[in-house]
Amino acid sequence: MSYILGIDQSTQGTKAVLVDEDGEIVGRADRSHKQIVNSKGWVSHDLNEIYENVLAASRDVIEKTGVDKSRICAVGISNQRETTAIWNRKGKPLNEAVVWQCSRAQEMLSVLQMDEKRVKNITGIPLSPFFPAIKMAWLLKYTEAVQNCRTEEICLGTIDTWLIYKLTKGREFKTDYSNASRTQLFDIHNLCWSKEMCASFGIPMKSLPQICDSDSAFGETDLGGYLEHPVPIHGVAGDSHAALFGQGCHRSGMIKTTYGTGSSIMMNTGDNCVMSRHGLVTSLAWKVGGKVDYVLEGNINYTGAVITWLKDDLRLISSPQETEEAARNANPEDQTILVPAFSGLSMPYWKSEARAMIWHMSRITGRNEIIKSALESIAFQIEAVLEAMRKDSGMEIRELRVDGGPTKNEYLMQLQSNLSNLKVIPARVEELSALGAAYIAGIGCGLFDQDKLFRVSRGKCFEPLMNAEERKAKWNRWEKAVSMV
C-alpha cells in the first residue's frame, strides 16, 4: 500500500492526514500555533513555528498510524490564503507573517489612490487590505532587515511558497495558480504576474515565486530529514480551492460551501472567466491536467461565528449542538430576523458600515426563536451569494455540496435546502482541504485515477420541502432587514 501525505496549513493550526490508495483517510494529526495579536490589533504568525509544526504533524500522523514511512510517495499542501510572508534566500524570515485577517496596510492602500475598476478588471478581486499585494508593500516598507538586503535576496509569497521553500531546503521558490490568483498581483486573463500591478504596489517581480500548475512537481522533500528518501510535493492549492477539488466540483456550475467561522462559497465556472457584477470575486480554482478552471467566490464573515456568539456572549446555549433542538422547538409563527453584521456585511452586500440587528420580534419571541433566527441568518447569507452567482454566471444551480462542522446540524442543512431550493449534500469527511490537496498530489504522481476516486457514494442529502410562497416571504423579510442596517 502506498500513501499520500496531505498537509493543511490553516489559520489556527496545521493538520496532516495520510490517504491510502483507495482515497480514504487512515489517520490525522494536528498542531496549533500562536495567534500573535498586538495592541493595535495586528494579527501575525511566526513562520518558523508554522514550518516546525508542519514537520511535527507529518511525523505525528505517520507514527500514530504505524505506516511504514517508506510507503509515502508524495505530499500535497493546502494553505491559509492571503497570509503573506517575507524571508531571505537563506530561508530566514525577515518579519512575522501578516495574517489574512489583518488590515494594518489600509492606510498605505488609501495613499496609493489606485483605479479600483482597473485593479478588479486585471485581478478579478476588489482593492482591499485583505489581499497580499498591499501586505507585501507594507512588509517591504516596514521590515527593518529589508534595508540591508539586495532585491534578489528578498522572497515574498503566501504560506504555500514559504513551506515549499523550507521543505525543499531552499531549492524551489514556487506557488500554484490558485494561490497566485489571490495575491492581487496576478493577471487572471493572461495567467501571469501583472507588471502593471507589481509596479503599482511597488513589488519587485524578482521577489515573487514561479507560478506552477497545481498538480506539478514542486520539488522534493525528506520532511526535515525524517524520510530516508525524498518524495515529491505534487499538489498545492489554497485551502478553499483544495476543498472544492475534494468535494468533486470539477465541472462548470458545481458549487461547494464551507461552513466554518465564516464561509467560502465557490462556483466552478470552467474555462469561462466570469467577471462578477453582483459583489463576488473571480479567481482561479486551479490548473490541473494542464487545464485552468475559474471560480466565482463569495466570502461571509459570520456563519459559525454566530453560533459562538449565542454561546459565549448571549449564553443562550452551552454547546453548538443545542441549536438544533431549540430551533425545532421555536414557534413557527415567529418572524424574527437576525442580521449578523457585527463587523459589517461582506459579500455580496459589501456594507462595511452596517451593524448587527435583531428585527421583527414580537411577544412570542424567546430563546428558541432567537436561536432559530441565528441559524436562518447563516442560510440567508449563503443564499444571497448563491443568488449573485446565478445572476453572474447565468447558470442553473441544481445542488450545493457542503462541508464543515455546522453541516452536522440537520435543521440547518434542511433550512439551507428550503431557502435555496436546492439539494444539499454534506461531505463524508471533515478534512476536505487536506484531502483535496492529497487528491491533487495523488493524481499528479499517478497513484489515483480521478474518475474512480470520485465515484463514491455520499451520505444523507437534503431536498427542499418549503413551498415557493413561504420561501419568497422569508426572503423578502431578510432583504428588508438588510436594507435597514
Side-chain angles (χ1 to χ4, degrees):
M1 180 71 78
S2 296
Y3 298 88
I4 303 292
L5 174 65
I7 297 167
D8 176 32
Q9 203 301 295
S10 66
T11 310
Q12 299 295 324
T14 299
K15 70 172 67 75
V17 300
L18 278 180
V19 181
D20 67 17
E21 291 177 6
D22 296 321
E24 297 294 331
I25 293 175
V26 297
R28 166 180 169 172
D30 296 76
R31 291 285 179 123
S32 61
H33 60 260
K34 185 178 180 182
Q35 304 299 306
I36 305 167
V37 184
N38 71 5
S39 59
K40 297 179 182 179
W42 296 357
V43 189
S44 307
H45 287 160
D46 182 321
L47 286 166
N48 281 328
E49 182 186 12
I50 284 175
Y51 170 62
E52 292 298 331
N53 280 359
V54 165
L55 296 181
S58 300
R59 290 194 299 266
D60 289 349
V61 73
I62 294 169
E63 299 296 332
K64 184 171 22 173
T65 56
V67 165
D68 182 348
K69 58 187 178 182
S70 68
R71 296 293 182 181
I72 309 297
C73 63
V75 175
I77 299 172
S78 70
N79 59 285
Q80 50 170 317
R81 302 181 305 171
E82 289 93 28
T83 294
T84 306
I86 185 169
W87 65 97
N88 64 22
R89 294 284 174 172
K90 294 179 180 178
K92 180 182 178 182
L94 300 178
N95 206 330
E96 293 169 335
V98 181
V99 179
W100 61 270
Q101 302 154 309
C102 186
S103 59
R104 72 183 73 173
Q106 175 65 62
E107 187 175 338
M108 282 188 69
L109 197 60
S110 303
V111 171
L112 288 177
Q113 295 183 331
M114 297 173 69
D115 182 341
E116 294 192 30
K117 186 176 181 181
R118 177 70 176 161
V119 172
K120 187 170 183 182
N121 284 343
I122 292 173
T123 68
I125 49 184
L127 200 59
S128 168
F130 177 84
F131 298 104
I134 195 64
K135 295 185 192 304
M136 291 181 185
W138 189 95
L139 284 166
L140 287 171
K141 183 174 181 179
Y142 293 107
T143 298
E144 187 176 343
V146 166
Q147 314 312 318
N148 300 318
C149 291
R150 298 191 305 272
T151 299
E152 56 269 23
E153 293 177 335
I154 299 170
C155 298
L156 291 164
T158 42
I159 295 296
D160 60 307
T161 303
W162 163 249
L163 292 179
I164 292 167
Y165 199 87
K166 292 294 286 184
L167 288 167
T168 63
K169 301 177 182 178
R171 288 189 291 269
E172 305 293 347
F173 184 39
K174 296 177 178 178
T175 189
D176 93 298
Y177 279 91
S178 71
N179 280 294
S181 74
R182 301 292 296 185
T183 61
Q184 203 146 61
L185 297 172
F186 182 79
D187 185 329
I188 61 170
H189 307 286
N190 294 308
L191 304 179
C192 60
W193 295 124
S194 165
K195 291 182 180 179
E196 180 180 340
M197 289 297 101
C198 288
S200 297
F201 284 100
I203 309 302
M205 296 186 74
K206 289 181 180 179
S207 296
L208 295 176
Q210 176 188 352
I211 305 169
C212 302
D213 291 11
S214 306
D215 60 347
S216 64
F218 288 81
E220 292 188 325
T221 181
D222 61 7
L223 297 177
Y226 178 68
L227 300 180
E228 294 174 7
H229 303 286
V231 298
I233 301 169
H234 228 307
V236 173
D239 51 10
S240 293
H241 310 255
L244 185 76
F245 194 90
Q247 281 278 30
C249 295
H250 306 152
R251 299 190 307 277
S252 180
M254 298 185 75
I255 299 179
K256 73 90 192 174
T257 293
T258 298
Y259 295 75
T261 301
S263 283
S264 165
I265 303 99
M266 270 189 172
M267 170 188 265
N268 186 328
T269 61
D271 59 6
N272 186 13
C273 180
V274 178
M275 301 300 287
S276 177
R277 294 171 290 107
H278 297 91
L280 306 179
V281 301
T282 306
S283 304
L284 267 67
W286 48 67
K287 188 178 180 187
V288 169
K291 176 180 175 294
V292 164
D293 279 5
Y294 289 91
V295 290
L296 279 171
E297 182 176 3
N299 297 102
I300 297 168
N301 294 336
Y302 277 85
T303 51
V306 178
I307 308 303
T308 303
W309 173 71
L310 292 177
K311 180 173 73 72
D312 295 345
D313 298 282
L314 296 191
R315 300 188 179 182
L316 292 179
I317 55 174
S318 57
S319 72
Q321 289 72 32
E322 294 176 29
T323 58
E324 183 166 350
E325 182 181 0
R328 293 189 189 281
N329 291 331
N331 191 320
E333 300 301 317
D334 185 79
Q335 297 182 355
T336 301
I337 297 287
L338 166 66
V339 182
F342 299 106
S343 56
L345 275 179
S346 50
M347 306 178 200
Y349 299 109
W350 294 103
K351 296 177 73 169
S352 59
E353 75 288 350
R355 288 298 174 263
M357 177 181 71
I358 298 177
W359 177 68
H360 219 278
M361 291 188 292
S362 68
R363 188 61 186 83
I364 63 172
T365 304
R367 169 186 177 271
N368 291 344
E369 289 69 34
I370 295 294
I371 292 171
K372 184 184 80 166
S373 71
L375 292 180
E376 287 185 341
S377 76
I378 296 172
F380 277 129
Q381 289 180 94
I382 289 168
E383 170 54 22
V385 171
L386 293 174
E387 183 57 26
M389 287 177 169
R390 292 183 184 101
K391 292 175 180 176
D392 279 336
S393 68
M395 298 181 193
E396 180 185 359
I397 302 172
R398 295 191 175 132
E399 66 177 33
L400 179 65
R401 298 190 176 190
V402 298
D403 57 88
T407 60
K408 295 175 183 176
N409 187 319
E410 294 195 1
Y411 179 90
L412 176 59
M413 292 299 96
Q414 185 60 60
L415 179 65
Q416 190 72 69
S417 177
N418 289 344
L419 291 177
S420 301
N421 198 29
L422 294 173
K423 178 188 288 187
V424 171
I425 308 172
R428 293 185 303 125
V429 298
E430 292 182 9
E431 305 89 346
L432 269 176
S433 293
L435 186 65
Y439 281 176
I440 294 172
I443 293 166
C445 74
L447 182 66
F448 297 147
D449 177 280
Q450 185 167 334
D451 291 334
K452 290 180 181 178
L453 191 63
F454 289 93
R455 200 182 299 154
V456 294
S457 59
R458 291 184 168 261
K460 181 176 181 178
C461 65
F462 298 84
E463 302 273 1
L465 301 175
M466 186 179 288
N467 63 57
E469 185 178 347
E470 184 181 357
R471 183 181 303 112
K472 184 177 180 181
K474 280 182 170 290
W475 181 250
N476 287 343
R477 283 197 296 275
W478 166 258
E479 289 282 85
K480 185 173 182 180
V482 167
S483 71
M484 293 189 288
V485 299

